[in-house]
Amino acid sequence: MNRRTLLHATTALGAATLTAATATRADAAPTAAPAPGRPLHVHVVLFDGVEELDYTAPYEVFAASGYFTDRDVEVRYVTLDGPRTVRAAYGTRLRVDHEWAPEEADLLVVPGGGYARREDPGVWAEIGRGSLPRALAAAARPGLTVSALCTGVMLLSAAGLTSGRPCTTHHRARADLERQGGVLKNARVVDDGDLVTAGGVTSGLDLALWLVRRELGADAAVGLEAMLEYEARGTVWTARAGR
């Protein structure tokens, strides 16, 4: 029995239990269009000073989602500077093997980190350097969803991607986001179509679970919740009726 089959079997009971509890949320979520021949490509953007939980939680959710759908899911860490070692906020060193290639992605996920310490590596340093916000602005195109969590949303703000659009971020950065033109929503996850944002550090789980539900269907999200022993929390604000 392969790993995918084993996980399907061992989580079936838990997923069935969760289905009833999440029926309302599932009814509000879109139905994913089947695309069995085309993988879902997810790129998680890293930079020095990035928060560890910000990038690991979405990566694990998306990587594990392949066990609950017939569609292939390919997840990779990328950096603007090409393959290199990134030093995260708490000292973790992570070798990133993939270069910046947003034209190959269906989803970009931008974590946060370092916003409270302007003198250290992190979001403020990247805003000051300017390269990453410019690259994010240039990456926007039809078919690409740009998402961010925590203070990673401020990188999207610096790129001009949140101006005049519903969004959210870490509670300590909300005033800055609003001053910079974002239309702040008091929700855990804010889905404005090709722009999806989420609140604080732990909201990476909720952001990823929502995007899995949106792109791969409710069954995949419920299966993941059972496997992770985590039930998505908070409100998902959506721009479109029927989501």
Side-chain angles (χ1 to χ4, degrees):
M1 180 181 290
N2 63 33
R3 189 179 180 197
R4 179 178 294 193
T5 304
L6 177 62
L7 279 168
H8 273 305
T10 55
T11 59
L13 179 59
T17 303
L18 282 172
T19 299
T22 58
T24 302
R25 192 183 302 138
D27 289 344
T31 301
R38 185 178 180 279
L40 178 69
H41 296 278
V42 182
H43 292 190
V44 181
V45 182
L46 297 192
F47 49 87
D48 289 325
V50 66
E51 192 92 12
E52 278 86 344
L53 188 57
D54 275 22
Y55 66 80
T56 54
Y59 187 97
E60 179 157 351
V61 170
F62 284 116
S65 67
Y67 298 127
F68 300 96
T69 176
D70 291 332
R71 185 176 180 185
D72 288 335
V73 181
E74 297 181 2
V75 191
R76 62 176 57 172
Y77 289 129
V78 300
T79 70
L80 185 61
D81 306 320
R84 68 181 182 90
T85 298
V86 169
R87 188 176 189 276
Y90 291 96
T92 303
R93 293 185 182 274
L94 180 66
R95 175 67 189 178
V96 179
D97 294 325
H98 298 286
E99 62 186 3
W100 180 257
E103 70 280 0
E104 299 175 5
D106 299 299
L107 299 174
L108 280 184
V109 181
V110 183
Y115 197 75
R117 304 176 299 279
R118 296 195 181 202
E119 69 281 4
D120 293 342
V123 169
W124 275 113
E126 295 302 321
I127 290 173
R129 192 162 66 117
S131 301
L132 184 52
R134 285 193 296 271
L136 289 166
R141 59 170 171 78
L144 175 67
T145 295
V146 179
S147 67
L149 64 139
C150 198
T151 55
V153 180
M154 302 312 296
L155 286 165
L156 303 191
S157 180
L161 298 178
T162 59
S163 182
R165 300 192 63 176
C167 53
T168 191
T169 186
H170 188 282
H171 67 277
R172 291 189 176 180
R174 286 181 180 178
D176 292 341
L177 182 61
E178 199 164 26
R179 275 194 297 270
Q180 293 170 23
V183 180
L184 191 65
K185 298 295 180 181
N186 186 27
R188 181 78 164 170
V189 177
V190 176
D191 184 337
D192 193 34
D194 61 356
L195 175 70
V196 184
T197 54
V201 180
T202 58
S203 69
L205 287 167
D206 303 296
L207 173 72
L209 284 167
W210 172 255
L211 287 170
V212 164
R213 182 181 297 275
R214 195 183 89 168
E215 301 297 326
L216 301 175
D219 286 344
V222 170
L224 278 164
E225 289 184 358
M227 187 193 80
L228 296 169
E229 297 190 71
Y230 176 84
E231 186 174 351
R233 59 179 290 258
T235 301
V236 176
W237 184 96
T238 60
R240 300 178 192 174
R243 273 199 176 164

